[in-house]
Amino acid sequence: MNYLNIKGQKQLNGSVKISGAKNAALPLLASTILSQNEINIGNVPDVVDINTLLKLLGKLGASYDRYNNHVKINTSNLNETKATYDIVKTMRASILVLGPLLARFGHCEVSLPGGCAIGQRPVDLHLKALEQMGAKIEIKNGYILATCPEGLQGSTIVFDKVTVTGTENIVMAAALAKGTSIIINAAKEPEVVQLCEVLKDAGLDIKGIGTDTLAIVGTNKKLLNFKEFDIIPDRIEAGTYLCAGAITNTKLTIENVIPMHLDAVLAKFREMGFSIQKDTNSVTILPADEIKPAHIVTTEYPGFPTDMQAQFMALATQANGVTIIDERLFENRYMHVSELLRMGADISLSGNTATVSGKPNTLNGTDVMATDLRASSALVLAGLVARGETKIHRIYHLDRGYENLEGKLSSLGANIQRFNE
Ligand code: UD1
């Protein structure tokens, strides 16, 4: 197994190009199941989760070529409708094939995603919505068995909670259903918006994109005609590199981003004393005279993203004073706390609230364990500012979602190397 070794307290500077968004690429690749034609997709990040989904689509019978960040994919010969445990267990987002497979073939089997480091993360809302659209769902031997021999029927779906992949799954199911579906309390994340826009460009009648109410006129199983498209930039990778600039208190520019997608995160940097310069496709963070504590509440887009909570906790350890973090989306998303404590941070937890008593230059490098994707990036950030060497183990979590992490950080001046245990 690989680990990362970081020699901390190196000054960073320069600029870094942000990759395509993993969380946009995943539903968009799943949506190719709805296509009648071969599709060219650009700006696809080269990360493990994307390779996992491509492998799954390949097992279902899709053919694809991948060169650099381009994927050419053809799903016209799909001949299998079972997403097996061996793949789904490695990536929850495999559940995204459920809606499109069921809509296209009238039946499918998808392994239940099972437990996850950041909480229970059920898929009950996905299943309830599909049942409302006429699907029969049975859970047997760890698999979701879904059937709808007559095809899915358009329906009015009211999500009890805002769910990102739930909205994406039902948008894809509704695309080939018979009649109109209205999705109320839909997620508005930029990744959901891009999925809707690509489907609209492919001929789908979909209204309300970017709002919490979507209206979709299904094609009654007629496949869509996809155009070529590029995946939007990864706002979480972007925020993570801005945190690298912030935690080392240096000037750093991120390029190839959509600054608007980062508004809530940029507002929090300003609150903590940093200056931000926005350009059309880039954002620069400038050092703070003093890093100030903040109050952070994670919520759905356009609020502060839960996927940035761990990185801001690492940053808060360097503030002068007490930062309060309320994690409102996931229980058990504080796995990074025990590792930050081992590095010398002062953090206490009470339910979903973390209290971070920050003090600059108090972290020391040591061996730490990555536990989930974003928790791992918090440890990398802490390593950048810690005294001495930090060894981060189990970095396969990082490889799931960060393209060329050590290459990008090295180019900014960090001393970070990958070794084999
Ligand atoms: C997606 C993102 C993930 C991000 C999260 C919240 C992808 C591949 N992953 O995850 O990075 O952290 O959004 O922004 O895009 N819930 C239920 N029942 C369900 C579905 C969800 O109770 O059927 C709950 C979850 O437990 C959670 C909340 O709803 O408390 C939001 O989860 P959801 O938006 O579904 O997260 P994901 O789509 O899994």
Side-chain angles (χ1 to χ4, degrees):
M1 249 197 286
N2 291 333
Y3 70 92
L4 283 178
N5 191 81
I6 303 176
K7 289 186 180 136
Q9 300 199 318
K10 298 275 179 282
Q11 199 76 3
L12 303 190
N13 72 66
S15 64
V16 63
K17 190 166 172 279
I18 298 306
S19 302
K22 166 184 88 72
N23 285 355
L26 289 170
L28 284 162
L29 284 171
S31 79
T32 64
I33 294 172
L34 308 172
S35 174
Q36 61 181 24
N37 57 300
E38 184 173 84
I39 313 165
N40 277 302
I41 311 176
N43 206 30
V44 181
D46 186 5
V47 295
V48 170
D49 272 7
I50 298 303
N51 296 335
T52 303
L53 188 59
L54 283 171
K55 194 167 140 199
L56 172 56
L57 291 169
K59 272 188 122 182
L60 298 176
S63 54
Y64 61 88
D65 281 330
R66 185 174 187 150
Y67 42 101
N68 299 326
N69 291 108
H70 291 264
V71 170
K72 187 194 279 188
I73 183 160
N74 191 328
T75 63
S76 55
N77 290 325
L78 283 199
N79 52 6
E80 176 60 73
T81 55
K82 184 169 180 174
T84 49
Y85 177 68
D86 54 325
I87 294 193
V88 178
K89 72 169 185 212
T90 65
M91 187 183 68
R92 263 197 105 255
S94 310
I95 192 72
L96 284 165
V97 299
L98 175 65
L101 278 180
L102 182 61
R104 175 163 161 186
F105 295 101
H107 62 91
C108 66
E109 289 178 48
V110 178
S111 172
L112 274 172
C116 168
I118 61 170
Q120 248 197 340
R121 298 182 83 181
V123 290
D124 56 314
L125 301 175
H126 303 227
L127 303 185
K128 189 173 152 193
L130 289 173
E131 280 176 334
Q132 266 181 270
M133 296 174 77
K136 292 220 172 350
I137 308 266
E138 209 187 329
I139 308 289
K140 210 169 168 187
N141 303 333
Y143 278 79
I144 301 163
L145 312 184
T147 51
C148 58
E150 309 300 320
L152 291 169
Q153 293 291 325
S155 178
T156 297
I157 310 292
V158 184
F159 277 118
D160 296 332
K161 275 188 197 170
V162 178
T163 161
V164 174
T165 49
T167 303
E168 292 163 346
N169 236 335
I170 300 311
V171 165
M172 292 187 278
L176 300 196
K178 194 173 178 186
T180 300
S181 295
I182 312 285
I183 305 176
I184 296 169
N185 205 20
K188 300 186 291 249
E189 270 65 5
E191 296 77 18
V192 179
V193 169
Q194 187 179 25
L195 172 69
C196 294
E197 276 170 353
V198 166
L199 294 178
K200 188 175 179 190
D201 284 348
L204 184 68
D205 180 348
I206 172 165
K207 297 201 171 62
I209 297 177
T211 75
D212 57 13
T213 304
L214 296 167
I216 298 164
V217 183
T219 63
N220 197 9
K221 285 204 168 180
K222 186 173 177 295
L223 295 176
L224 300 171
N225 190 4
F226 277 62
K227 310 265 182 324
E228 198 173 302
F229 62 89
D230 285 338
I231 304 289
I232 56 169
D234 194 316
R235 63 196 168 98
I236 305 302
E237 188 199 17
T240 304
Y241 281 101
L242 288 176
C243 275
I247 204 164
T248 53
N249 211 11
T250 48
K251 180 179 172 186
L252 191 150
T253 300
I254 50 166
E255 289 169 358
N256 188 33
V257 293
I258 301 175
M260 194 182 74
H261 291 171
L262 290 159
D263 277 347
V265 168
L266 298 183
K268 218 36 85 177
F269 282 125
R270 287 197 191 95
E271 204 178 311
M272 295 179 83
F274 298 95
S275 300
I276 298 288
Q277 288 169 355
K278 284 203 256 182
D279 217 323
T280 320
N281 303 111
S282 68
V283 174
T284 299
I285 186 160
L286 298 150
D289 294 333
E290 183 200 6
I291 305 180
K292 292 184 236 162
H295 185 192
I296 296 171
V297 181
T298 68
T299 177
E300 294 88 8
Y301 188 85
F304 188 91
T306 175
D307 285 351
M308 284 302 302
Q309 177 257 106
Q311 299 89 319
F312 267 76
M313 182 181 287
L315 174 57
T317 65
Q318 300 306 300
N320 272 300
V322 177
T323 290
I324 305 290
I325 303 178
D326 281 324
E327 172 55 58
R328 298 267 172 94
L329 287 188
F330 293 110
E331 82 275 18
N332 202 15
R333 204 177 193 177
Y334 283 132
M335 312 268 287
H336 41 287
V337 170
S338 54
E339 303 304 296
L340 290 173
L341 290 178
R342 300 188 64 250
M343 295 179 76
D346 181 349
I347 304 167
S348 61
L349 281 181
S350 168
N352 285 339
T353 303
T355 304
V356 187
S357 301
K359 198 170 168 199
N361 296 317
T362 43
L363 297 186
N364 290 301
T366 182
D367 287 271
V368 286
M369 196 84 86
T371 48
D372 72 50
L373 175 56
R374 307 305 170 186
S376 318
S377 58
L379 301 180
V380 171
L381 292 169
L384 291 178
V385 78
R387 261 192 300 271
E389 292 189 28
T390 302
K391 287 192 175 68
I392 306 174
H393 303 270
R394 294 201 186 159
I395 52 165
Y396 52 85
H397 290 291
L398 278 170
D399 295 333
R400 286 186 41 213
Y402 287 94
E403 184 175 70
N404 189 21
L405 179 81
E406 60 266 36
K408 288 188 183 185
L409 279 174
S410 298
S411 76
L412 292 169
N415 187 328
I416 176 167
Q417 280 179 296
R418 180 179 290 241
F419 293 105
N420 223 314
E421 301 270 8

